[in-house]
């Protein structure tokens, strides 16, 4: 037995050392490798090479190569409005015979799209098509760094630079600079939109946010439950709940939430709406007669609204009944452009 005890002691010390070593490696992988979990730009397979283009969907477009301050090229798409669209579903708008296409584009809203963390911007062309064809908006589809054919690797700092670069392009364009700019963000794209609006309070007319979160560390227990004890290691913060109060009260927001979202619990969108309500004196419990609308309030010329879709999950809320009608009515309520036909 006396010979056995030193062996057990040695084994115990060795096991402790091994566990400590594995924990250190685990912590290191979590800390330094989390970008691969948060920004899976290669998923689904082929997303870094197979990027649909608008002409695949019958849309003319401009290939837009945006150059960021840190030397990254973002290969994005711009759908610029024209007086006459060769599409039978094109929304009807008032035009002036003497207007050029560029002058007409300057009278329409501009949508700056921020997509979710999977796939690429080409996968969202059907969404851009609704904005472009039905609502007659200009649309800039940003391709984040490390996504699609864009250079670089994604990170919170990098995506913030990308968003600012896209906004700077719009505000320096001869026609787009005259348009009301509306940010549309899905999932992590909503966090990108909130951050951009908080840093450019005078340049953003409105925000449309779908299935986004209060912060990434707060999301980890649901998205990655096995890693919840280590959420303190998350250095990609995206603190949206802290950024909303920095956005002017006069900037309307439309929050769209899928009740059955399996990635971002509906409580995150509800919490963000509470923050919006505190910012501008809206009672989050108020409703306006629509069973899906859980909060509503008058904000300047537009309305901030929170709308839930009972059957919406993380990736299909955008195809739920009433989704695009809600967005079209919100855009029309901003009062900055000519009327559009109802969807």
């Amino acid at each position: 037995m006396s010979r056995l005890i030193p062996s057990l002691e040695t084994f115990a010390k060795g096991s402790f050392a091994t566990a400590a070593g594995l924990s250190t490696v685990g912590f290191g992988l979590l800390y330094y490798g989390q970008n691969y979990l948060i920004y899976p730009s290669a998923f689904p397979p082929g997303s870094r090479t197979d990027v649909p283009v608008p002409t695949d969907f019958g849309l003319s477009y401009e290939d837009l190569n945006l150059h960021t301050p840190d030397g990254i090229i973002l290969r994005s798409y711009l759908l610029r409005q024209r007086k006459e669209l060769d599409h039978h579903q094109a929304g009807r708008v008032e035009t002036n015979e003497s207007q050029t296409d560029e002058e007409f584009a300057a009278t329409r809203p501009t949508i700056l799209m921020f997509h979710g963390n999977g796939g690429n911007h080409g996968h969202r062309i059907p969404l851009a098509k609704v904005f472009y064809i039905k609502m007659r908006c200009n649309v800039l589809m940003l391709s984040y760094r490390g996504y699609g054919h864009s250079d670089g690797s994604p990170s919170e700092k990098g995506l913030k630079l990308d968003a600012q670069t896209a906004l700077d392009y719009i505000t320096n364009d001869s026609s787009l600079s005259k348009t009301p700019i509306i940010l549309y963000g899905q999932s992590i794209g909503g966090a990108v939109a909130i951050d951009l609006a908080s840093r450019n309070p005078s340049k953003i007319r409105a925000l449309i946010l779908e299935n986004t979160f209060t912060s990434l560390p707060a999301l980890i227990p649901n998205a990655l439950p096995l890693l919840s004890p280590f959420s303190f290691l998350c250095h990609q913060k995206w603190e949206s709940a802290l950024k909303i109060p920095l956005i002017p009260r006069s900037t309307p927001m439309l929050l769209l939430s899928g009740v059955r979202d399996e990635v971002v619990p509906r409580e995150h969108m509800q919490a963000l709406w509470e923050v919006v309500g505190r910012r501008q004196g809206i009672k989050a419990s108020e409703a306006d007669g629509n069973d899906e609308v859980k909060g509503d309030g008058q904000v300047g010329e537009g309305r901030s609204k929170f709308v839930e879709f009972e059957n919406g999950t993380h990736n299909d809320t955008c195809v739920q009944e009433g989704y695009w009608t809600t967005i079209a009515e919100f855009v029309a309520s901003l009062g900055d452009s000519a009327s559009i036909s109802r969807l």
Side-chain angles (χ1 to χ4, degrees):
M1 181 67 70
S2 61
R3 293 179 180 178
L4 181 60
I5 292 176
S7 297
L8 291 173
E9 183 179 359
T10 300
F11 174 78
K13 289 180 179 178
S15 298
F16 177 79
T18 300
L22 290 175
S23 296
T24 300
V25 171
F27 280 129
L29 289 175
L30 285 172
Y31 186 80
Y32 295 105
Q34 64 187 255
N35 281 21
Y36 295 99
L37 295 174
I38 296 169
Y39 311 104
S41 58
F43 182 83
S47 292
R48 291 288 276 136
T49 55
D50 183 14
V51 183
V53 295
T55 49
D56 295 339
F57 297 84
L59 302 175
S60 59
Y61 73 105
E62 300 173 34
D63 252 327
L64 197 62
N65 290 333
L66 300 173
H67 297 258
T68 68
D70 59 343
I72 299 297
I73 299 177
L74 310 174
R75 293 174 171 83
S76 306
Y77 302 149
L78 175 61
L79 310 179
R80 194 187 297 267
Q81 275 298 322
R82 293 177 289 114
K83 287 175 62 177
E84 301 295 334
L85 292 183
D86 186 19
H87 197 287
H88 68 283
Q89 293 182 330
R92 297 178 181 177
V93 294
E94 294 182 5
T95 60
N96 187 319
E97 291 185 2
S98 63
Q99 276 182 324
T100 64
D101 282 339
E102 183 175 354
E103 291 171 337
F104 175 72
T107 68
R108 306 305 305 159
T110 295
I111 307 293
L112 177 50
M113 291 182 63
F114 300 116
H115 64 76
N117 69 338
N120 57 56
H121 68 307
H123 296 146
R124 279 75 178 187
I125 294 172
L127 308 183
K129 186 173 183 177
V130 180
F131 281 118
Y132 185 69
I133 296 293
K134 291 285 192 177
M135 301 184 209
R136 302 299 299 273
C137 297
N138 306 293
V139 185
L140 196 163
M141 304 184 68
L142 176 64
S143 177
Y144 308 132
R145 64 184 61 207
Y147 279 80
H149 295 154
S150 293
D151 299 342
S153 300
S155 67
E156 181 175 6
K157 179 181 179 181
L159 266 61
K160 289 178 179 179
L161 277 176
D162 299 345
Q164 188 65 54
T165 299
L167 179 60
D168 290 346
Y169 176 87
I170 293 173
T171 56
N172 285 291
D173 183 87
S174 59
S175 60
L176 300 182
S177 60
K178 302 172 185 176
T179 70
I181 301 170
I182 303 169
L183 307 183
Y184 173 76
Q186 296 177 297
S187 192
I188 203 167
V192 177
I194 290 169
D195 175 80
L196 182 65
S198 73
R199 292 184 288 108
N200 298 269
S202 64
K203 298 179 181 179
I204 306 304
R205 181 66 183 90
L207 289 85
I208 302 172
L209 309 170
E210 180 204 304
N211 292 339
T212 192
F213 43 80
T214 57
S215 75
L216 269 182
L219 182 63
I220 288 176
N222 183 80
L224 300 167
L226 292 177
L227 301 182
S228 58
F230 311 109
S231 58
F232 68 93
L233 291 173
C234 185
H235 53 68
Q236 301 292 292
K237 302 295 186 181
W238 292 111
E239 297 278 8
S240 294
L242 298 180
K243 297 290 181 63
I244 286 178
L246 303 178
I247 300 172
R249 295 176 61 188
S250 59
T251 304
M253 299 186 191
L254 175 61
L255 279 63
L256 306 166
S257 175
V259 171
R260 300 185 182 181
D261 192 326
E262 71 286 8
V263 177
V264 179
R266 65 190 293 199
E267 289 79 12
H268 280 256
M269 288 292 285
Q270 290 171 335
L272 290 177
W273 175 247
E274 292 282 352
V275 177
V276 172
R278 289 196 298 269
R279 180 194 68 154
Q280 47 203 46
I282 301 171
K283 293 181 181 180
S285 60
E286 289 180 351
D288 68 354
N290 182 339
D291 289 340
E292 289 182 328
V293 179
K294 304 304 182 184
D296 185 20
Q298 191 70 29
V299 186
E301 295 179 351
R303 300 165 65 85
S304 283
K305 292 181 91 172
F306 175 40
V307 183
E308 290 189 316
F309 298 89
E310 294 298 327
N311 296 316
T313 65
H314 192 66
N315 292 318
D316 72 1
T317 298
C318 60
V319 299
Q320 297 302 309
E321 183 178 359
Y323 180 92
W324 288 105
T325 299
T326 299
I327 291 178
E329 291 174 350
F330 176 74
V331 172
S333 76
L334 300 176
D336 293 304
S337 57
S339 62
I340 58 174
S341 58
R342 292 178 61 85
L343 296 183

